Amino acid sequence: MSSILPSDALGRRILCDMEYATVQYVGSVPPTKGLWIGVEWDNPQRGKHDGNHKGIRYFKCRHPTGGSFIRPDKVNFGVGFLTAVKNRYGLNDEQDVACGKDDELVLGKKTVELVGFDSVLEEQSQLNKLENISVRECAVSHVGQKEEINRTCPIIKSIDLSKNLLSSWETVIDIASQVQNLEILHLSENKMKFPSAATPGSGTFDKLRVLALNRTGVTWVEVLLCAPGWPALEELYLASNDITVLERPTNVLQTLKLLDLSSNQLIDGNQLHLIAHLPRLEKLILSDTGISSVCFPDAEFGKKAKMFPSLKHLVVDNNKISQWSFVNELDKLQSLESLQCWNNPLGPEKSPETLRQLIIAKIGQLKFLNKSEILPQERKGAELDYRKMFGNEWLAAGGHQDPDKNRPHEEFLAAHPRYQLLCLKYGAPEEGELKRQQPFTLKNQLLTVTIKCPDKPDQKPMEKKLPDSMTIQKVKGLLYRLLKIPGSELKLSYESSKMEGKEIELDNDLKSLQFYSIENGDCMLVRW
C-alpha cells in the first residue's frame, strides 16, 4: 500500500483489505491527530456509520453503516494501466518466476512440467503481440504512462478492465485514446462518474463494437450523453444499474444490435416504446426488470407492428408476467424468432409442457422457446391442441364453421388473436372434436376401429377395440406385432364415419386417439 496521498484523492476509488470503497472525505477527525480518509464502502456491512461521527457530519452515505475512517497508509489507490498489464503478462524477477530445465517452469517452490508452454511465455513476455488483454481486478485506477501504451501494446483490440478502481469516464478515455483499434471494452463493476453534458465524438471509440457497463451506476441519460462517441457500437450491456427511466435515443445507438437492461427495475413495459425504433436492434435482454405487461399500439391483432423492426431475440426471464395478453402482443413483432421467459407466473396451474404449447400457438413465427428449437411437428401439434382447447369457447363467442356466419366477438379475438388464422390453416373445429369427455368407464373408453391397408389389397381389414387414451406410438407398436412392419415405417391416418371422404393424418406419436377425436366405427388407414 502506498502512503502517498494523491492530490485528487477525493472521489477516488480505493481498495483496503480486499474491500472496495469511494473516498468521501480527506482531513482531520478531532480529537485524534493526523490525516484520515473517510470512505463509503461498496459493502455497507464493512462500515460503522453513515459519515456522522460523534455528532459531526463529515460526509454522507446511502447506508447507515456504509462509512468508515481509515489511515492513508492502509489505502491502495491503484496502479496505472500499463503497470497492471506488465504485472499480469510480463515475466520478471518480482513475480518469483524462473526457468529450470528446458521442460520445467519453477513457480515459487513448485515445479511445473512444460508442454509447449515456452511459446506461451515468449508471447506473453512480448506485450506488443497481445490483441486481447485482461486486467480484471488488478487495481487499475489511472492511465499511468499514457504515451507508452500504444508503443508497448500496439495491436490491442479487446480490454477487460472490469472490477478495478476506475473513478471516472475521463480515465477510460485517457486509456482508450492510446488504443487505436479498440473493439471490445469491459468496464463492469467500476463505480464511475459519467459526464453530465453531451460528449462529442473524439474518435477514441470509433471502432468500438462491444461495451459492458454492468454495475457501474450509469444512468440511461448518461448513456445517451456518451453515445455520440460510440458510432459503431453493436452490443451494450447495462445490467444492474438501477435504471428505471428510459429516453428516446436521438441520432445515437443506431448501430446497436444487442441491448442488455437486465436487473434494472423498469417495471413499466411502456418504457420500451422509447427504444422501440432502434433500427438494427436484434436482441433485447429484460430479465429481472419487474415488467408485467407490454403493448404495441401501432398494430391491431393479426397485424405486425413497426416497433422493434429487427428484434429477433427477446429475454424476459424472472419477471412478473402473469397475463396471456403479454404473449399475444409478442406475435405483433415482425422479426421475433426466439423467446426466453423462464420463471414467470404465467398460468401457474398449467404444466410446463402445456405452457410451452400455448406460447408456441400464440406466437406464429417463433423458432426457439427457452433455448429449445420448435420443430414443425411440434408447432403443428401445439396449434392443433390450441384450436381444440378453445373450440367450445370460440363457438360460444359466435364462431361458426360456415365462414359467412363466423363472427366471434371482440373479447374472444383479443384473448385469442391467432384463433381465426388457425381455423383457416387447419379448418374450423368439427363438432365431434369438441365433444366433452364422458365419465370414465371401461365401456366409454374402448373404441371399435376398423384397420385397413389401402395400398395392400391382399391384407384383410381388421376390427380392434382400442382405449381412446392409447397413443399413436402404442398403436404403431400393436400394428408391428400384427403386420410385422417397424413402427418407424408406418404412416397412419383415419376416416371419420361422420365426415365421408375426409382423411385426417395421425402425425404426432405422442397424442392419443381421443386427441384426434377418433370414434366408434371410424376406419384407421395404415401405409408403409
Side-chain angles (χ1 to χ4, degrees):
M1 305 247 179
S2 174
S3 60
I4 301 175
L5 188 67
S7 59
D8 62 344
L10 200 62
R12 287 275 294 268
R13 296 281 293 161
I14 62 98
L15 193 59
C16 178
D17 296 332
M18 304 302 293
E19 295 276 2
Y20 290 83
T22 302
V23 177
Q24 302 286 18
Y25 172 79
V26 177
S28 60
V29 182
T32 63
K33 295 180 180 181
L35 197 63
W36 289 93
I37 295 179
V39 300
E40 181 177 8
W41 300 101
D42 290 4
N43 174 15
Q45 304 304 318
R46 176 70 170 77
K48 297 180 179 179
H49 50 74
D50 64 352
N52 189 320
H53 181 63
K54 294 186 177 180
I56 300 175
R57 170 67 64 185
Y58 292 91
F59 58 96
K60 291 182 179 180
C61 290
R62 287 168 293 182
H63 193 277
T65 62
S68 292
F69 290 105
I70 52 180
R71 292 293 190 181
D73 60 354
K74 301 291 185 182
V75 174
N76 182 357
F77 280 95
V79 299
F81 173 75
L82 200 54
T83 300
V85 172
K86 290 179 178 179
N87 288 343
R88 173 62 64 89
Y89 293 96
L91 298 174
N92 51 51
D93 294 339
E94 294 180 1
Q95 289 175 291
D96 195 20
V97 177
C99 286
K101 295 183 293 184
D102 289 344
D103 59 348
E104 292 181 350
L105 176 70
V106 181
L107 299 170
K109 296 181 180 180
K110 295 184 178 180
T111 300
V112 181
E113 184 178 355
L114 294 175
V115 181
F117 197 67
D118 52 345
S119 60
V120 177
L121 296 180
E122 181 180 356
E123 181 173 342
Q124 289 191 338
S125 65
Q126 298 180 35
L127 300 180
N128 61 2
K129 293 184 179 180
L130 291 174
E131 291 188 9
N132 306 308
I133 284 180
S134 174
V135 285
R136 175 180 169 83
E137 291 189 86
C138 287
V140 177
S141 62
H142 56 283
V143 65
Q145 296 171 302
K146 187 175 182 179
E147 65 284 350
E148 292 293 321
I149 296 176
N150 188 44
R151 284 201 290 267
T152 306
C153 307
I155 62 171
I156 299 175
K157 292 184 179 180
S158 172
I159 302 177
D160 186 351
L161 272 164
S162 52
K163 204 166 186 181
N164 276 288
L165 301 178
L166 301 173
S167 302
S168 69
W169 183 249
E170 286 76 11
T171 302
V172 175
I173 294 176
D174 285 342
I175 295 172
S177 63
Q178 296 295 304
V179 183
Q180 296 180 354
N181 298 303
L182 186 61
E183 297 180 4
I184 301 173
L185 182 57
H186 294 274
L187 297 168
S188 299
E189 298 177 270
N190 285 286
K191 291 192 175 182
M192 295 185 289
K193 290 183 179 178
F194 289 86
S196 56
T199 52
S202 61
T204 300
F205 301 107
D206 278 359
K207 297 181 180 180
L208 191 66
R209 296 185 298 103
V210 179
L211 177 61
L213 294 171
N214 303 323
R215 295 186 179 89
T216 58
V218 70
T219 66
W220 184 250
V221 171
E222 290 167 341
V223 168
L224 297 184
L225 291 174
C226 293
W230 312 329
L233 194 65
E234 296 180 358
E235 298 182 14
L236 179 58
Y237 298 86
L238 299 171
S240 304
N241 279 310
D242 295 326
I243 294 173
T244 57
V245 178
L246 301 177
E247 290 186 14
R248 188 183 301 275
T250 304
N251 299 323
V252 293
L253 303 179
Q254 300 301 295
T255 58
L256 205 62
K257 294 182 179 180
L258 183 152
L259 178 60
D260 183 358
L261 290 168
S262 56
S263 299
N264 291 289
Q265 292 304 297
L266 297 173
I267 300 176
D268 183 3
N270 290 330
Q271 287 280 321
L272 301 181
H273 296 173
L274 299 169
I275 58 172
H277 297 284
L278 292 172
R280 300 184 185 179
L281 188 65
E282 295 181 0
K283 184 169 185 176
L284 181 59
I285 304 174
L286 298 171
S287 300
D288 190 30
T289 55
I291 62 171
S292 59
S293 63
V294 70
C295 178
F296 304 114
D298 64 328
E300 299 176 356
F301 287 118
K303 306 293 183 181
K304 296 301 180 183
K306 293 181 180 179
M307 293 182 173
F308 294 107
S310 302
L311 191 65
K312 295 181 180 180
H313 312 282
L314 179 63
V315 181
V316 288
D317 298 330
N318 303 310
N319 279 298
K320 300 177 181 178
I321 302 166
S322 61
Q323 301 297 319
W324 284 105
S325 57
F326 186 102
V327 179
N328 291 339
E329 287 289 324
L330 298 185
D331 188 54
K332 295 181 181 179
L333 296 177
Q334 55 187 283
S335 301
L336 188 65
E337 296 179 354
S338 172
L339 174 66
Q340 279 181 237
C341 55
W342 292 111
N343 197 24
N344 279 285
L346 188 62
E349 73 286 354
K350 293 180 171 63
S351 69
E353 294 78 12
T354 300
L355 287 175
R356 179 177 173 87
Q357 280 193 318
L358 290 172
I359 293 171
I360 291 171
K362 283 178 172 288
I363 306 177
Q365 70 276 24
L366 210 60
K367 296 180 180 179
F368 289 86
L369 177 57
N370 292 329
K371 297 185 177 182
S372 176
E373 185 177 5
I374 302 167
L375 298 175
Q377 185 179 14
E378 182 183 17
R379 170 162 293 285
K380 184 176 181 179
E383 291 177 343
L384 285 171
D385 270 0
Y386 186 88
R387 171 179 160 276
K388 182 177 179 180
M389 185 182 300
F390 297 99
N392 286 316
E393 190 176 331
W394 171 72
L395 289 173
H400 201 281
Q401 294 172 10
D402 184 345
D404 295 332
K405 299 178 181 180
N406 181 26
R407 296 185 183 87
H409 56 58
E410 291 298 320
E411 185 178 347
F412 177 85
L413 294 177
H416 307 281
R418 291 197 74 230
Y419 197 89
Q420 294 284 74
L421 180 63
L422 296 180
C423 287
L424 290 174
K425 186 175 181 179
Y426 299 108
E430 302 285 346
E431 182 180 348
E433 289 183 83
L434 304 179
K435 67 175 184 178
R436 297 190 180 277
Q437 186 174 351
Q438 296 176 321
F440 180 83
T441 65
L442 183 59
K443 180 181 178 182
N444 288 336
Q445 299 301 305
L446 289 176
L447 303 173
T448 301
V449 177
T450 301
I451 298 174
K452 294 181 180 180
C453 303
D455 297 340
K456 307 290 182 182
D458 295 338
Q459 186 73 44
K460 294 182 180 181
M462 297 176 285
E463 190 174 276
K464 291 290 180 183
K465 291 185 180 293
L466 305 176
D468 65 357
S469 60
M470 193 174 192
T471 63
I472 303 304
Q473 187 175 38
K474 290 182 178 180
V475 171
K476 288 182 176 180
L478 172 65
L479 292 171
Y480 169 69
R481 292 192 293 273
L482 294 173
L483 304 174
K484 306 303 180 185
I485 304 297
S488 59
E489 298 181 16
L490 295 176
K491 294 182 179 179
L492 306 185
S493 59
Y494 84 97
E495 290 179 339
S496 172
S497 57
K498 296 181 179 179
M499 296 181 284
E500 289 187 17
K502 186 173 183 180
E503 187 174 330
I504 300 170
E505 187 177 357
L506 305 175
D507 57 355
N508 191 331
D509 286 356
L510 301 180
K511 297 299 182 182
S512 66
L513 297 177
Q514 183 187 42
F515 169 79
Y516 286 104
S517 302
I518 295 178
E519 299 178 321
N520 279 316
D522 287 350
C523 182
M524 185 177 296
L525 305 176
V526 184
R527 295 181 176 90
W528 63 90

